[in-house]
Amino acid sequence: KQEVTQIPAALSVPEGENLVLNCSFTDSAIYNLQWFRQDPGKGLTSLLLIQSSQREQTSGRLNASLDKSSGRSTLYIAASQPGDSATYLCAVTLQTGGNEKLTFGTGTRLTIIP
Amino acid sequence: DAMVIQNPRYQVTQFGKPVTLSCSQTLNHNVMYWYQQKSSQAPKLLFHYYDKDFNNEADTPDNFQSRRPNTSFCFLDIRSPGLGDAAMYLCATSTGVSYEQYFGPGTRLTVT
């Protein structure tokens, strides 16, 4: 059974700092990995999708990397801003031969201190 | 422009009173998903439709059912809500089961 872990569960950093969020998964047979942002009481916003054949994806101040062999992904946020405060979730799509689905981590709650 | 729309955003129902949550999409995606997310927990997949093919997760309670009358709409029916069913319900779509998923804003269900 695929398990996705995100550590730490919560993180506070001063505005302007660069930071890294971590995601690990137990089964490396994945189709892709997605990073999402969730604001309190809201739905999920997709940030980046990395296919299993890719090593990284970039969007603005965000950079996500994927190391399938070690079962790890990181989300790098450059020059953090108070508006980046949210919960960040990673999720993997496992190759199961017909019933693929996303398995989520429990998220890292990020607070950027002005 | 809203792409995945959920109505209502907030729903209050009484214990045991049937309730229906609605999801619609303007993306013309083949796949629609329903997730349940309880406080401080990861979203949990309840079921998904690939076109008209319904796929139920093994641990989804029988109390939860779904309908997809056409490509654009999908409904989540909770036949007899219990207090433990209070949660955020998220709808998502994708072009295929292995592709990027797009989420709606969610419906927060309260059971009194």
Side-chain angles (χ1 to χ4, degrees):
Chain A
K1 178 184 175 185
Q2 177 74 277
E3 293 184 4
V4 181
T5 304
Q6 293 184 248
I7 295 173
L11 179 66
S12 294
V13 299
E15 179 179 2
E17 286 199 0
N18 304 325
L19 60 100
V20 175
L21 305 180
N22 296 296
C23 173
S24 60
F25 47 95
T26 54
D27 189 334
S28 62
I30 63 170
Y31 271 124
N32 56 48
L33 183 145
Q34 272 187 264
W35 281 94
F36 294 90
R37 169 188 174 133
Q38 187 173 32
D39 292 288
K42 301 288 179 64
L44 277 66
T45 300
S46 180
L47 298 173
L48 290 163
L49 171 72
I50 310 177
Q51 300 292 352
S52 62
S53 58
Q54 298 175 321
R55 295 294 297 242
E56 65 177 339
Q57 282 285 343
T58 298
S59 176
R61 294 183 294 110
L62 305 180
N63 176 276
S65 68
L66 175 64
D67 184 342
K68 261 183 50 175
S69 60
S70 66
R72 294 175 187 272
S73 177
T74 62
L75 179 66
Y76 174 83
I77 302 177
S80 59
Q81 303 170 357
D84 295 332
S85 297
T87 295
Y88 291 80
L89 295 136
C90 71
V92 297
T93 303
L94 189 64
Q95 296 177 354
T96 60
N99 195 27
E100 294 82 3
K101 63 179 182 180
L102 278 180
T103 301
F104 283 86
T106 52
T108 295
R109 189 173 69 253
L110 176 66
T111 302
I112 305 300
I113 305 165
Chain B
D1 293 337
M3 296 184 291
V4 183
I5 303 160
Q6 291 188 245
N7 286 306
R9 295 291 310 279
Y10 302 91
Q11 176 73 57
V12 180
T13 190
Q14 293 177 335
F15 184 94
K17 184 175 181 180
V19 65
T20 294
L21 308 183
S22 171
C23 178
S24 63
Q25 55 135 338
T26 60
L27 298 165
N28 203 34
H29 283 171
N30 295 324
V31 192
M32 296 187 76
Y33 309 80
W34 279 105
Y35 292 85
Q36 178 193 64
Q37 186 181 27
K38 296 187 177 181
S39 182
S40 300
Q41 295 185 18
K44 177 180 177 296
L45 182 65
L46 296 173
F47 25 59
H48 75 272
Y49 275 94
Y50 194 115
D51 293 328
K52 294 186 177 181
D53 292 334
F54 178 70
N55 297 272
N56 194 38
E57 292 301 299
D59 55 356
T60 298
D62 293 339
N63 197 28
F64 291 85
Q65 296 182 336
S66 184
R67 296 169 285 134
R68 189 178 186 187
N70 54 53
T71 299
S72 300
F73 284 86
C74 195
F75 300 98
L76 170 62
D77 300 309
I78 308 177
R79 290 192 295 183
S80 182
L83 297 178
D85 296 328
M88 173 76 86
Y89 289 88
L90 298 165
C91 174
T93 73
S94 70
T95 56
V97 292
S98 306
Y99 294 84
E100 185 172 8
Q101 293 191 18
Y102 295 84
F103 281 77
T107 294
R108 180 164 296 283
L109 178 68
T110 300
V111 182
T112 62

